[in-house]
Amino acid sequence: MNKRIAGVAVLLVVGGFAVWRWYQTSPDLTLVPANPAQLVAINKQPAVPVQASSEPAAAPNPTKGKTLEIAKAYYASKDLRAFAEMAKKRPQEGGGTYAFDAINICLFIRKVADVKATDYTDAGLFAKKQAALNDLRYRCHGFTSRELSLEGMNEFVGGIVESGDLLERVRNDFFQLVQESRFTATQRLKLMNGLAELQDPATIALYATEASRYYNEKGEQSYWVNGETYADNGRRELVEDAWRWASCQLGVDCKANSLKLLTLCVYDGKCFDSMDLYYRDKYAKQPGVFEQLIILRDIIVTAFQTRDFSRLIRP
């Protein structure tokens, strides 16, 4: 086994979303964490005041749009092993990274126990969760036990690194950027422009949140959006939800029976046919907060559509 790839994949849950992070045991392998909410070691110093809107856009990215076909195939796949076999042969389009995502979601599903009717007072919820679990198991049926073992994962990750997978390299660049000791407004704008050029919906979902995250002198985190600071736990969660919902409009498939909604149903017991219904339910007792969530979501989506990030980066 290649010593460069020794490590372990660990399941994390952020806001009800099941995601994975690869923890390496060898220092010469760099893979990207699955969610920026876990990047707790990044910038805990105030940003240097720089007018974000005055910075020029980043130079055109030669990777622009190259991952979109692979991303769409991943979201639409009914056979994730067949998808992974196809995708890993296309490293120039980031296929290895999406193949790794397919393996991770199937590793998670393999560990999920059968749904028991006796655990539910709501027969409808039981039926939806059982159907979602069956659907995901069907999509994952082709993987062997060895492919979903630590040894198999090690070998696969090594192949991603050695192939020069586009997304592994680009995400590594973004990861290094957000870990700068002083994540300035200029660096935040660079990150946003790089994400906009790449156009990869999953990468936007993973990293864009970091550009609006700030830390005070006590190391306490907050978000800054449209001139307002979101500091307490509830308000931070609102911004994180806005980013997740925005990712659906930026290319992540969030339709009924999508991988995202099926996983939410199985892991979190929240079984809905759209992200709109998911968040309406979550904020059902806070209609005013739900309206604020929609406003934040639209600010994020508009920023990427217009390439104007001044409402997401504190001057």
Side-chain angles (χ1 to χ4, degrees):
M1 182 174 66
N2 189 333
K3 291 183 179 179
R4 294 179 59 211
I5 57 176
V8 60
V10 178
L11 179 66
L12 302 169
V13 182
V14 183
F17 289 77
V19 293
W20 293 84
R21 174 171 179 173
W22 184 265
Y23 288 91
Q24 74 243 30
T25 56
S26 296
D28 56 342
L29 170 66
T30 305
L31 287 181
V32 176
N35 195 295
Q38 307 305 316
L39 302 178
V40 295
I42 70 166
N43 172 41
K44 294 192 177 182
Q45 303 180 43
V48 175
V50 178
Q51 282 294 114
S53 60
S54 67
E55 295 295 330
N61 191 329
T63 65
K64 182 176 181 178
K66 284 189 175 181
T67 71
L68 293 180
E69 183 180 341
I70 291 288
K72 290 178 180 178
Y74 167 67
Y75 295 128
S77 177
K78 301 298 183 181
D79 185 339
L80 287 170
R81 188 184 187 281
F83 164 79
E85 283 296 309
M86 175 277 294
K88 71 181 184 181
K89 298 174 184 177
R90 296 166 65 173
Q92 72 280 7
E93 300 170 64
T97 298
Y98 274 104
F100 184 61
D101 289 346
I103 293 173
N104 275 327
I105 199 169
C106 291
L107 181 59
F108 159 63
I109 290 303
R110 177 161 290 198
K111 295 178 181 294
V112 176
D114 289 333
V115 181
K116 297 180 180 179
T118 53
D119 293 338
Y120 293 86
T121 56
D122 184 336
L125 177 59
F126 161 73
K128 288 181 178 179
K129 188 167 182 178
Q130 183 64 65
L133 181 57
N134 290 341
D135 191 333
L136 288 170
R137 283 175 172 171
Y138 175 78
R139 297 186 193 201
C140 293
H141 74 276
F143 284 110
T144 67
S145 296
R146 187 185 185 286
E147 288 171 328
L148 299 182
S149 69
L150 178 58
E151 184 178 6
M153 293 284 283
N154 268 325
E155 292 178 359
F156 190 84
V157 172
I160 294 176
V161 176
E162 291 171 0
S163 70
D165 186 78
L166 181 150
L167 275 179
E168 195 276 331
R169 291 186 289 105
V170 172
R171 289 184 180 184
N172 181 57
D173 290 342
F174 290 145
F175 183 52
Q176 297 301 323
L177 181 61
V178 300
Q179 289 192 106
E180 292 290 335
S181 60
R182 295 180 66 82
F183 194 22
T184 66
T186 301
Q187 291 168 322
R188 294 167 193 271
L189 184 60
K190 179 181 178 182
L191 173 63
M192 285 295 199
N193 278 313
L195 289 166
E197 284 294 316
L198 181 63
Q199 296 183 9
D200 181 68
T203 307
I204 290 174
L206 292 174
Y207 283 100
T209 317
E210 288 305 314
S212 62
R213 188 194 301 271
Y214 293 85
Y215 291 86
N216 63 20
E217 62 281 356
K218 297 180 180 179
E220 299 166 334
Q221 64 173 306
S222 63
Y223 291 105
W224 186 94
V225 180
N226 199 33
E228 189 170 351
T229 298
Y230 295 77
D232 62 70
N233 290 338
R235 283 170 60 78
R236 288 201 310 272
E237 183 176 356
L238 182 66
V239 174
E240 290 165 0
D241 282 344
W243 277 105
R244 295 188 189 101
W245 197 358
S247 73
C248 297
Q249 295 180 255
L250 295 171
V252 174
D253 184 359
C254 301
K255 298 188 294 293
N257 296 320
S258 64
L259 286 173
K260 181 177 285 293
L261 285 174
L262 289 173
T263 305
L264 274 173
C265 180
V266 169
Y267 191 88
D268 203 30
K270 303 294 184 181
C271 303
F272 298 97
D273 290 333
S274 70
M275 292 304 291
D276 178 271
L277 292 174
Y278 174 86
Y279 284 119
R280 285 184 185 277
D281 175 77
K282 180 174 181 176
Y283 293 98
K285 296 180 180 180
Q286 301 172 289
V289 176
F290 178 73
E291 291 302 317
Q292 188 177 7
L293 174 65
I294 293 176
I295 292 171
L296 290 169
R297 179 205 64 188
D298 290 347
I299 287 174
I300 293 167
V301 173
T302 300
F304 276 91
Q305 290 174 338
T306 63
R307 306 294 178 90
D308 179 1
F309 301 109
S310 58
R311 300 173 77 183
L312 299 177
I313 302 173
R314 189 177 67 190

